[in-house]
């Protein structure tokens, strides 16, 4: 009697989660029993925590992005294609390249991405210029260039909505901005405002109080309970549902 065909484990995503699970499971699952396939839309793997440091020149964009396949062990195949749909009834993943993969077990590790299109006015002509973000490599690099030319004004760091990837990153950003501007002699010329939909600097009450105090001591203003309604790029302002207007440079 011939041995049964190996079962197939399909992992969607080759980021931190997908690569970690592929490495751990390849060691544990016998190769003659399990075939492991990872699907990713491209062969790119970003070390996302670096996005926070790129705007301040502390990390370099070229060190942040590597080929995804280099993080996968022998015995794991990588299929490069956007995923089109899942059909759990027949345990099949359909890919944009026109092929499909049948699986015994599926692990979804496609991560999270930002949706600036969900806030009116965010994606205007000033996107990645006076309106920046540091949740993508392109955004972090554009912000580095913007901050390099900074001479002073109102620096508004705004969280549109929770939950977000790494909820502490925006707070880290304002503290890094404060330190960077002090080093460059630009802090007195800059107002830093931290605008959040939360009722304080952070999610948990004790941390919120301590971190709020840290911000206050550095002269960073906190604008809590701010639910953004739209971005007015022409005026250089964000506007909340309760009609608060915060201007920015
Ligand atoms: C600024 C910042 C700072 C951070 N700091 C920290 C920190 O200090 N500590 C910490 O623990 N975490 C931190 N994080 C969070 C951490 O980086 C993420 O949680 C982690 O990268 C998520 O990994 P992931 O594999 O789930 O997703 P991702 O790394 O986003 O990978 C998703 C994968 O899915 C693929 N994919 C997505 N959609 C499709 C599709 N439709 N078709 C095919 N493939 C698809 C992508 O190509 C990619 O391979 C930070 C994040 C940011 C942005």
């Amino acid at each position: 009697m011939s041995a049964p065909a190996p079962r197939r484990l399909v992992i969607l995503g080759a980021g931190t989660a997908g690569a970690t699970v592929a490495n751990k499971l390849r060691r544990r699952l016998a190769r003659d029993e399990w075939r492991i396939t990872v699907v990713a839309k491209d062969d790119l793997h970003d070390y996302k925590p670096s996005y926070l440091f790129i705007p301040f020149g502390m990390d370099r964009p070229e060190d942040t992005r590597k080929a995804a396949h280099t993080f996968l062990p022998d015995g794991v195949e990588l299929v490069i294609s956007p995923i089109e749909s899942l059909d759990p009834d027949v345990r099949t993943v359909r890919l944009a390249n026109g092929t499909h993969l049948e699986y015994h077990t599926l692990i979804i590790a496609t991560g999270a991405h930002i949706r600036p299109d969900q806030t009116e006015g965010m994606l205007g002509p000033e996107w990645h210029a006076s309106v920046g973000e540091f949740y993508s490599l392109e955004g972090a690099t554009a912000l580095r260039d913007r901050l390099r030319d900074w001479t002073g004004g109102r620096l508004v760091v705004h969280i549109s909505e929770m939950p977000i990837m790494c909820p502490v990153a925006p707070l880290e950003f304002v503290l890094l901005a404060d330190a960077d501007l002090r080093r460059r002699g630009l802090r007195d010329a800059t107002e830093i405002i931290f605008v959040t939909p939360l009722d304080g600097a952070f999610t948990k009450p004790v941390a919120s109080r301590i971190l709020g105090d840290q911000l206050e001591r550095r002269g960073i203003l906190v604008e809590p309970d701010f639910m953004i309604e739209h971005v007015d790029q022409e005026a250089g302002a964000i506007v909340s549902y309760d009609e608060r207007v915060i201007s920015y440079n």
Side-chain angles (χ1 to χ4, degrees):
M1 232 171 63
S2 61
R7 286 171 283 185
R8 193 178 217 174
L9 169 69
V10 172
I11 301 167
L12 303 181
T16 308
T20 302
V21 94
N23 277 276
K24 288 197 182 278
L25 291 182
R26 187 63 291 172
R27 284 200 290 272
R28 289 186 187 190
L29 301 175
R31 291 185 187 216
D32 55 347
E33 289 176 16
W34 285 93
R35 182 176 172 191
I36 302 182
T37 305
V38 173
V39 183
K41 60 178 164 14
D42 47 39
D43 191 14
L44 301 174
H45 177 113
D46 283 5
Y47 181 65
K48 292 185 170 181
S50 273
Y51 297 168
L52 181 60
F53 303 108
I54 288 170
F56 305 104
M58 296 162 76
D59 277 352
R60 300 185 312 166
E62 55 270 36
D63 298 331
T64 300
R65 179 164 281 175
K66 302 226 156 78
H69 71 265
T70 60
F71 293 95
L72 299 177
D74 281 349
V76 170
E77 60 183 321
L78 175 64
V79 174
I80 303 291
S81 169
I83 300 150
E84 201 148 85
S85 64
L86 301 182
D87 190 343
D89 291 337
V90 287
R91 296 190 182 199
T92 299
V93 181
R94 294 186 200 288
L95 304 180
N97 67 8
T99 63
H100 67 273
L101 297 170
E102 286 168 18
Y103 59 83
H104 173 279
T105 300
L106 181 71
I107 296 176
I108 301 174
T110 44
H113 51 267
I114 55 166
R115 293 293 305 271
D117 57 307
Q118 300 279 296
T119 303
E120 192 190 323
M122 187 89 81
L123 283 183
E126 284 294 310
W127 179 243
H128 282 175
S130 63
V131 181
E133 50 92 11
F134 57 94
Y135 276 75
S136 69
L137 187 57
E138 297 68 28
T141 308
L143 203 47
R144 175 198 64 186
D145 298 343
R146 181 83 185 176
L147 291 180
R148 216 181 246 163
D149 298 335
W150 185 264
T151 51
R154 279 166 78 91
L155 180 68
V156 172
V157 178
H158 162 245
I159 303 171
S160 298
E161 205 176 77
M162 297 296 266
I164 53 169
M165 240 186 302
C166 197
V168 81
L171 261 180
E172 291 179 85
F173 187 93
V174 285
L175 293 170
L176 285 167
D178 174 72
D180 184 62
L181 293 168
R182 281 180 203 278
R183 188 181 53 78
R184 291 161 61 194
L186 291 168
R187 186 62 181 94
D188 287 343
T190 306
E191 232 182 313
I192 304 180
I193 307 164
F194 182 64
V195 183
T196 169
L198 301 172
D199 60 5
F202 199 54
T203 46
K204 306 277 184 250
V206 174
S208 185
R209 203 177 55 243
I210 293 168
L211 290 165
D213 184 51
Q214 291 284 336
L215 297 184
E216 201 182 317
R217 274 197 265 159
R218 288 168 173 78
I220 299 166
L221 295 176
V222 178
E223 181 77 23
D225 302 312
F226 190 95
M227 310 296 165
I228 190 161
E229 201 269 322
H230 73 277
V231 181
D232 184 342
Q233 290 199 354
E234 223 174 286
I238 52 175
V239 182
S240 66
Y241 280 103
D242 59 3
E243 295 175 2
R244 274 178 282 164
V245 178
I246 297 178
S247 62
Y248 61 78
N249 293 108

PDB file of all heavy atoms in Angstrom, residues 18-46:
ATOM      1  N   GLY A  18       3.117  35.138   9.818  1.00  0.00           N
ATOM      2  CA  GLY A  18       3.177  34.028   8.874  1.00  0.00           C
ATOM      3  C   GLY A  18       4.547  33.348   8.887  1.00  0.00           C
ATOM      4  O   GLY A  18       4.639  32.115   8.901  1.00  0.00           O
ATOM      5  N   ALA A  19       5.622  34.144   8.901  1.00  0.00           N
ATOM      6  CA  ALA A  19       6.976  33.576   8.885  1.00  0.00           C
ATOM      7  C   ALA A  19       7.259  32.825  10.186  1.00  0.00           C
ATOM      8  O   ALA A  19       7.868  31.752  10.178  1.00  0.00           O
ATOM      9  CB  ALA A  19       8.003  34.685   8.677  1.00  0.00           C
ATOM     10  N   THR A  20       6.781  33.358  11.322  1.00  0.00           N
ATOM     11  CA  THR A  20       7.028  32.696  12.607  1.00  0.00           C
ATOM     12  C   THR A  20       6.329  31.350  12.649  1.00  0.00           C
ATOM     13  O   THR A  20       6.922  30.324  13.025  1.00  0.00           O
ATOM     14  CB  THR A  20       6.524  33.593  13.777  1.00  0.00           C
ATOM     15  OG1 THR A  20       7.191  34.835  13.688  1.00  0.00           O
ATOM     16  CG2 THR A  20       6.796  32.962  15.128  1.00  0.00           C
ATOM     17  N   VAL A  21       5.075  31.344  12.252  1.00  0.00           N
ATOM     18  CA  VAL A  21       4.301  30.109  12.337  1.00  0.00           C
ATOM     19  C   VAL A  21       4.858  29.069  11.346  1.00  0.00           C
ATOM     20  O   VAL A  21       4.931  27.870  11.665  1.00  0.00           O
ATOM     21  CB  VAL A  21       2.793  30.435  12.167  1.00  0.00           C
ATOM     22  CG1 VAL A  21       2.302  30.303  10.763  1.00  0.00           C
ATOM     23  CG2 VAL A  21       1.948  29.603  13.097  1.00  0.00           C
ATOM     24  N   ALA A  22       5.322  29.520  10.174  1.00  0.00           N
ATOM     25  CA  ALA A  22       5.895  28.582   9.198  1.00  0.00           C
ATOM     26  C   ALA A  22       7.172  27.949   9.760  1.00  0.00           C
ATOM     27  O   ALA A  22       7.385  26.739   9.650  1.00  0.00           O
ATOM     28  CB  ALA A  22       6.203  29.311   7.890  1.00  0.00           C
ATOM     29  N   ASN A  23       8.011  28.770  10.405  1.00  0.00           N
ATOM     30  CA  ASN A  23       9.251  28.245  10.984  1.00  0.00           C
ATOM     31  C   ASN A  23       8.979  27.264  12.113  1.00  0.00           C
ATOM     32  O   ASN A  23       9.588  26.206  12.202  1.00  0.00           O
ATOM     33  CB  ASN A  23      10.126  29.396  11.488  1.00  0.00           C
ATOM     34  CG  ASN A  23      10.942  30.019  10.372  1.00  0.00           C
ATOM     35  OD1 ASN A  23      12.014  29.534  10.041  1.00  0.00           O
ATOM     36  ND2 ASN A  23      10.406  31.057   9.754  1.00  0.00           N
ATOM     37  N   LYS A  24       8.045  27.633  12.986  1.00  0.00           N
ATOM     38  CA  LYS A  24       7.764  26.765  14.146  1.00  0.00           C
ATOM     39  C   LYS A  24       7.118  25.459  13.704  1.00  0.00           C
ATOM     40  O   LYS A  24       7.484  24.384  14.186  1.00  0.00           O
ATOM     41  CB  LYS A  24       6.878  27.492  15.149  1.00  0.00           C
ATOM     42  CG  LYS A  24       7.631  28.589  15.890  1.00  0.00           C
ATOM     43  CD  LYS A  24       6.893  29.003  17.139  1.00  0.00           C
ATOM     44  CE  LYS A  24       7.622  30.125  17.855  1.00  0.00           C
ATOM     45  NZ  LYS A  24       8.715  29.674  18.702  1.00  0.00           N
ATOM     46  N   LEU A  25       6.158  25.540  12.795  1.00  0.00           N
ATOM     47  CA  LEU A  25       5.438  24.328  12.405  1.00  0.00           C
ATOM     48  C   LEU A  25       6.264  23.428  11.490  1.00  0.00           C
ATOM     49  O   LEU A  25       6.107  22.214  11.524  1.00  0.00           O
ATOM     50  CB  LEU A  25       4.090  24.684  11.776  1.00  0.00           C
ATOM     51  CG  LEU A  25       3.082  25.276  12.775  1.00  0.00           C
ATOM     52  CD1 LEU A  25       1.753  25.573  12.091  1.00  0.00           C
ATOM     53  CD2 LEU A  25       2.854  24.341  13.974  1.00  0.00           C
ATOM     54  N   ARG A  26       7.164  24.027  10.693  1.00  0.00           N
ATOM     55  CA  ARG A  26       7.994  23.156   9.844  1.00  0.00           C
ATOM     56  C   ARG A  26       8.846  22.220  10.703  1.00  0.00           C
ATOM     57  O   ARG A  26       9.088  21.073  10.357  1.00  0.00           O
ATOM     58  CB  ARG A  26       8.863  23.996   8.901  1.00  0.00           C
ATOM     59  CG  ARG A  26       9.646  23.233   7.852  1.00  0.00           C
ATOM     60  CD  ARG A  26       8.810  22.461   6.821  1.00  0.00           C
ATOM     61  NE  ARG A  26       8.071  21.304   7.323  1.00  0.00           N
ATOM     62  CZ  ARG A  26       7.177  20.613   6.624  1.00  0.00           C
ATOM     63  NH1 ARG A  26       6.896  20.947   5.401  1.00  0.00           N
ATOM     64  NH2 ARG A  26       6.540  19.577   7.144  1.00  0.00           N
ATOM     65  N   ARG A  27       9.299  22.738  11.856  1.00  0.00           N
ATOM     66  CA  ARG A  27      10.101  21.905  12.767  1.00  0.00           C
ATOM     67  C   ARG A  27       9.267  20.798  13.399  1.00  0.00           C
ATOM     68  O   ARG A  27       9.769  19.739  13.714  1.00  0.00           O
ATOM     69  CB  ARG A  27      10.712  22.766  13.877  1.00  0.00           C
ATOM     70  CG  ARG A  27      11.907  23.582  13.408  1.00  0.00           C
ATOM     71  CD  ARG A  27      12.785  24.021  14.563  1.00  0.00           C
ATOM     72  NE  ARG A  27      12.155  25.032  15.394  1.00  0.00           N
ATOM     73  CZ  ARG A  27      12.229  26.338  15.162  1.00  0.00           C
ATOM     74  NH1 ARG A  27      12.887  26.780  14.117  1.00  0.00           N
ATOM     75  NH2 ARG A  27      11.635  27.193  15.973  1.00  0.00           N
ATOM     76  N   ARG A  28       7.972  21.094  13.619  1.00  0.00           N
ATOM     77  CA  ARG A  28       7.144  20.136  14.353  1.00  0.00           C
ATOM     78  C   ARG A  28       6.418  19.125  13.481  1.00  0.00           C
ATOM     79  O   ARG A  28       6.062  18.054  13.952  1.00  0.00           O
ATOM     80  CB  ARG A  28       6.074  20.880  15.155  1.00  0.00           C
ATOM     81  CG  ARG A  28       6.663  21.629  16.315  1.00  0.00           C
ATOM     82  CD  ARG A  28       5.572  22.227  17.141  1.00  0.00           C
ATOM     83  NE  ARG A  28       6.147  23.077  18.161  1.00  0.00           N
ATOM     84  CZ  ARG A  28       5.466  23.589  19.146  1.00  0.00           C
ATOM     85  NH1 ARG A  28       4.175  23.342  19.255  1.00  0.00           N
ATOM     86  NH2 ARG A  28       6.054  24.345  20.027  1.00  0.00           N
ATOM     87  N   LEU A  29       6.129  19.490  12.245  1.00  0.00           N
ATOM     88  CA  LEU A  29       5.306  18.615  11.408  1.00  0.00           C
ATOM     89  C   LEU A  29       6.193  17.801  10.473  1.00  0.00           C
ATOM     90  O   LEU A  29       7.030  18.364   9.753  1.00  0.00           O
ATOM     91  CB  LEU A  29       4.315  19.453  10.582  1.00  0.00           C
ATOM     92  CG  LEU A  29       3.335  20.324  11.395  1.00  0.00           C
ATOM     93  CD1 LEU A  29       2.488  21.194  10.452  1.00  0.00           C
ATOM     94  CD2 LEU A  29       2.432  19.456  12.261  1.00  0.00           C
ATOM     95  N   ALA A  30       6.002  16.506  10.470  1.00  0.00           N
ATOM     96  CA  ALA A  30       6.810  15.621   9.615  1.00  0.00           C
ATOM     97  C   ALA A  30       6.596  15.985   8.149  1.00  0.00           C
ATOM     98  O   ALA A  30       5.460  16.223   7.720  1.00  0.00           O
ATOM     99  CB  ALA A  30       6.414  14.171   9.880  1.00  0.00           C
ATOM    100  N   ARG A  31       7.689  16.020   7.402  1.00  0.00           N
ATOM    101  CA  ARG A  31       7.606  16.465   6.004  1.00  0.00           C
ATOM    102  C   ARG A  31       6.811  15.499   5.134  1.00  0.00           C
ATOM    103  O   ARG A  31       6.200  15.912   4.152  1.00  0.00           O
ATOM    104  CB  ARG A  31       8.997  16.650   5.422  1.00  0.00           C
ATOM    105  CG  ARG A  31       9.675  17.842   6.072  1.00  0.00           C
ATOM    106  CD  ARG A  31      11.003  18.122   5.443  1.00  0.00           C
ATOM    107  NE  ARG A  31      11.644  19.174   6.233  1.00  0.00           N
ATOM    108  CZ  ARG A  31      12.397  20.124   5.729  1.00  0.00           C
ATOM    109  NH1 ARG A  31      12.638  20.152   4.450  1.00  0.00           N
ATOM    110  NH2 ARG A  31      12.928  21.024   6.524  1.00  0.00           N
ATOM    111  N   ASP A  32       6.856  14.212   5.496  1.00  0.00           N
ATOM    112  CA  ASP A  32       6.093  13.275   4.665  1.00  0.00           C
ATOM    113  C   ASP A  32       4.606  13.297   5.023  1.00  0.00           C
ATOM    114  O   ASP A  32       3.789  12.710   4.336  1.00  0.00           O
ATOM    115  CB  ASP A  32       6.671  11.850   4.777  1.00  0.00           C
ATOM    116  CG  ASP A  32       6.735  11.374   6.221  1.00  0.00           C
ATOM    117  OD1 ASP A  32       6.577  12.224   7.124  1.00  0.00           O
ATOM    118  OD2 ASP A  32       6.926  10.173   6.457  1.00  0.00           O
ATOM    119  N   GLU A  33       4.254  14.015   6.111  1.00  0.00           N
ATOM    120  CA  GLU A  33       2.837  14.089   6.481  1.00  0.00           C
ATOM    121  C   GLU A  33       2.212  15.445   6.151  1.00  0.00           C
ATOM    122  O   GLU A  33       1.007  15.561   5.964  1.00  0.00           O
ATOM    123  CB  GLU A  33       2.673  13.827   7.993  1.00  0.00           C
ATOM    124  CG  GLU A  33       2.940  12.381   8.369  1.00  0.00           C
ATOM    125  CD  GLU A  33       2.861  12.159   9.871  1.00  0.00           C
ATOM    126  OE1 GLU A  33       2.319  13.018  10.590  1.00  0.00           O
ATOM    127  OE2 GLU A  33       3.373  11.114  10.324  1.00  0.00           O
ATOM    128  N   TRP A  34       3.049  16.480   6.153  1.00  0.00           N
ATOM    129  CA  TRP A  34       2.513  17.838   5.947  1.00  0.00           C
ATOM    130  C   TRP A  34       3.331  18.608   4.915  1.00  0.00           C
ATOM    131  O   TRP A  34       4.548  18.731   5.046  1.00  0.00           O
ATOM    132  CB  TRP A  34       2.529  18.628   7.258  1.00  0.00           C
ATOM    133  CG  TRP A  34       1.463  18.220   8.214  1.00  0.00           C
ATOM    134  CD1 TRP A  34       1.588  17.299   9.204  1.00  0.00           C
ATOM    135  CD2 TRP A  34       0.128  18.706   8.275  1.00  0.00           C
ATOM    136  NE1 TRP A  34       0.407  17.182   9.881  1.00  0.00           N
ATOM    137  CE2 TRP A  34      -0.516  18.041   9.327  1.00  0.00           C
ATOM    138  CE3 TRP A  34      -0.599  19.637   7.536  1.00  0.00           C
ATOM    139  CZ2 TRP A  34      -1.840  18.269   9.672  1.00  0.00           C
ATOM    140  CZ3 TRP A  34      -1.917  19.883   7.867  1.00  0.00           C
ATOM    141  CH2 TRP A  34      -2.525  19.201   8.916  1.00  0.00           C
ATOM    142  N   ARG A  35       2.626  19.149   3.964  1.00  0.00           N
ATOM    143  CA  ARG A  35       3.226  20.073   3.012  1.00  0.00           C
ATOM    144  C   ARG A  35       2.834  21.479   3.510  1.00  0.00           C
ATOM    145  O   ARG A  35       1.666  21.688   3.861  1.00  0.00           O
ATOM    146  CB  ARG A  35       2.588  19.775   1.658  1.00  0.00           C
ATOM    147  CG  ARG A  35       3.093  20.576   0.533  1.00  0.00           C
ATOM    148  CD  ARG A  35       2.425  20.067  -0.744  1.00  0.00           C
ATOM    149  NE  ARG A  35       2.758  20.957  -1.834  1.00  0.00           N
ATOM    150  CZ  ARG A  35       2.183  20.926  -3.020  1.00  0.00           C
ATOM    151  NH1 ARG A  35       1.231  20.052  -3.264  1.00  0.00           N
ATOM    152  NH2 ARG A  35       2.551  21.770  -3.954  1.00  0.00           N
ATOM    153  N   ILE A  36       3.781  22.396   3.565  1.00  0.00           N
ATOM    154  CA  ILE A  36       3.449  23.754   4.048  1.00  0.00           C
ATOM    155  C   ILE A  36       3.644  24.758   2.907  1.00  0.00           C
ATOM    156  O   ILE A  36       4.708  24.820   2.286  1.00  0.00           O
ATOM    157  CB  ILE A  36       4.319  24.165   5.269  1.00  0.00           C
ATOM    158  CG1 ILE A  36       4.141  23.156   6.414  1.00  0.00           C
ATOM    159  CG2 ILE A  36       3.963  25.584   5.733  1.00  0.00           C
ATOM    160  CD1 ILE A  36       4.919  23.492   7.688  1.00  0.00           C
ATOM    161  N   THR A  37       2.602  25.538   2.677  1.00  0.00           N
ATOM    162  CA  THR A  37       2.646  26.555   1.616  1.00  0.00           C
ATOM    163  C   THR A  37       2.291  27.915   2.219  1.00  0.00           C
ATOM    164  O   THR A  37       1.285  28.035   2.927  1.00  0.00           O
ATOM    165  CB  THR A  37       1.628  26.222   0.505  1.00  0.00           C
ATOM    166  OG1 THR A  37       1.886  24.899   0.038  1.00  0.00           O
ATOM    167  CG2 THR A  37       1.724  27.209  -0.654  1.00  0.00           C
ATOM    168  N   VAL A  38       3.125  28.899   1.953  1.00  0.00           N
ATOM    169  CA  VAL A  38       2.841  30.276   2.385  1.00  0.00           C
ATOM    170  C   VAL A  38       2.442  31.078   1.149  1.00  0.00           C
ATOM    171  O   VAL A  38       3.068  30.935   0.092  1.00  0.00           O
ATOM    172  CB  VAL A  38       4.091  30.902   3.052  1.00  0.00           C
ATOM    173  CG1 VAL A  38       3.877  32.384   3.340  1.00  0.00           C
ATOM    174  CG2 VAL A  38       4.455  30.158   4.335  1.00  0.00           C
ATOM    175  N   VAL A  39       1.417  31.908   1.292  1.00  0.00           N
ATOM    176  CA  VAL A  39       0.996  32.783   0.187  1.00  0.00           C
ATOM    177  C   VAL A  39       1.193  34.233   0.620  1.00  0.00           C
ATOM    178  O   VAL A  39       0.785  34.613   1.725  1.00  0.00           O
ATOM    179  CB  VAL A  39      -0.508  32.581  -0.150  1.00  0.00           C
ATOM    180  CG1 VAL A  39      -0.903  33.444  -1.353  1.00  0.00           C
ATOM    181  CG2 VAL A  39      -0.823  31.119  -0.422  1.00  0.00           C
ATOM    182  N   ALA A  40       1.813  35.021  -0.239  1.00  0.00           N
ATOM    183  CA  ALA A  40       1.940  36.462   0.051  1.00  0.00           C
ATOM    184  C   ALA A  40       1.806  37.227  -1.249  1.00  0.00           C
ATOM    185  O   ALA A  40       2.135  36.707  -2.319  1.00  0.00           O
ATOM    186  CB  ALA A  40       3.282  36.752   0.707  1.00  0.00           C
ATOM    187  N   LYS A  41       1.340  38.458  -1.126  1.00  0.00           N
ATOM    188  CA  LYS A  41       1.068  39.208  -2.368  1.00  0.00           C
ATOM    189  C   LYS A  41       2.358  39.638  -3.078  1.00  0.00           C
ATOM    190  O   LYS A  41       2.359  39.903  -4.259  1.00  0.00           O
ATOM    191  CB  LYS A  41       0.137  40.400  -2.119  1.00  0.00           C
ATOM    192  CG  LYS A  41       0.635  41.442  -1.156  1.00  0.00           C
ATOM    193  CD  LYS A  41      -0.406  42.547  -1.079  1.00  0.00           C
ATOM    194  CE  LYS A  41      -0.307  43.498   0.076  1.00  0.00           C
ATOM    195  NZ  LYS A  41       0.869  43.580   0.893  1.00  0.00           N
ATOM    196  N   ASP A  42       3.447  39.730  -2.300  1.00  0.00           N
ATOM    197  CA  ASP A  42       4.742  40.031  -2.917  1.00  0.00           C
ATOM    198  C   ASP A  42       5.840  39.389  -2.070  1.00  0.00           C
ATOM    199  O   ASP A  42       5.566  38.858  -0.981  1.00  0.00           O
ATOM    200  CB  ASP A  42       4.954  41.552  -3.048  1.00  0.00           C
ATOM    201  CG  ASP A  42       4.613  42.283  -1.762  1.00  0.00           C
ATOM    202  OD1 ASP A  42       4.941  41.739  -0.692  1.00  0.00           O
ATOM    203  OD2 ASP A  42       4.011  43.376  -1.816  1.00  0.00           O
ATOM    204  N   ASP A  43       7.058  39.443  -2.566  1.00  0.00           N
ATOM    205  CA  ASP A  43       8.167  38.809  -1.838  1.00  0.00           C
ATOM    206  C   ASP A  43       8.854  39.837  -0.934  1.00  0.00           C
ATOM    207  O   ASP A  43      10.075  39.946  -0.915  1.00  0.00           O
ATOM    208  CB  ASP A  43       9.155  38.197  -2.857  1.00  0.00           C
ATOM    209  CG  ASP A  43      10.182  37.293  -2.181  1.00  0.00           C
ATOM    210  OD1 ASP A  43       9.990  36.931  -1.007  1.00  0.00           O
ATOM    211  OD2 ASP A  43      11.202  36.985  -2.825  1.00  0.00           O
ATOM    212  N   LEU A  44       8.057  40.614  -0.202  1.00  0.00           N
ATOM    213  CA  LEU A  44       8.613  41.669   0.651  1.00  0.00           C
ATOM    214  C   LEU A  44       8.220  41.432   2.103  1.00  0.00           C
ATOM    215  O   LEU A  44       7.080  41.071   2.390  1.00  0.00           O
ATOM    216  CB  LEU A  44       8.078  43.040   0.209  1.00  0.00           C
ATOM    217  CG  LEU A  44       8.378  43.455  -1.233  1.00  0.00           C
ATOM    218  CD1 LEU A  44       7.658  44.757  -1.556  1.00  0.00           C
ATOM    219  CD2 LEU A  44       9.888  43.608  -1.436  1.00  0.00           C
ATOM    220  N   HIS A  45       9.163  41.649   2.986  1.00  0.00           N
ATOM    221  CA  HIS A  45       8.906  41.514   4.416  1.00  0.00           C
ATOM    222  C   HIS A  45       9.477  42.751   5.098  1.00  0.00           C
ATOM    223  O   HIS A  45      10.683  42.987   5.047  1.00  0.00           O
ATOM    224  CB  HIS A  45       9.583  40.240   4.951  1.00  0.00           C
ATOM    225  CG  HIS A  45       9.429  40.041   6.428  1.00  0.00           C
ATOM    226  ND1 HIS A  45       8.676  39.006   6.959  1.00  0.00           N
ATOM    227  CD2 HIS A  45       9.923  40.722   7.476  1.00  0.00           C
ATOM    228  CE1 HIS A  45       8.729  39.069   8.277  1.00  0.00           C
ATOM    229  NE2 HIS A  45       9.482  40.109   8.616  1.00  0.00           N
ATOM    230  N   ASP A  46       8.614  43.540   5.700  1.00  0.00           N
ATOM    231  CA  ASP A  46       9.071  44.755   6.380  1.00  0.00           C
ATOM    232  C   ASP A  46       9.175  44.515   7.882  1.00  0.00           C
ATOM    233  O   ASP A  46       8.290  43.876   8.470  1.00  0.00           O
ATOM    234  CB  ASP A  46       8.067  45.908   6.166  1.00  0.00           C
ATOM    235  CG  ASP A  46       8.189  46.518   4.784  1.00  0.00           C
ATOM    236  OD1 ASP A  46       8.966  46.000   3.964  1.00  0.00           O
ATOM    237  OD2 ASP A  46       7.490  47.517   4.531  1.00  0.00           O
TER     238      ASP A  46
END
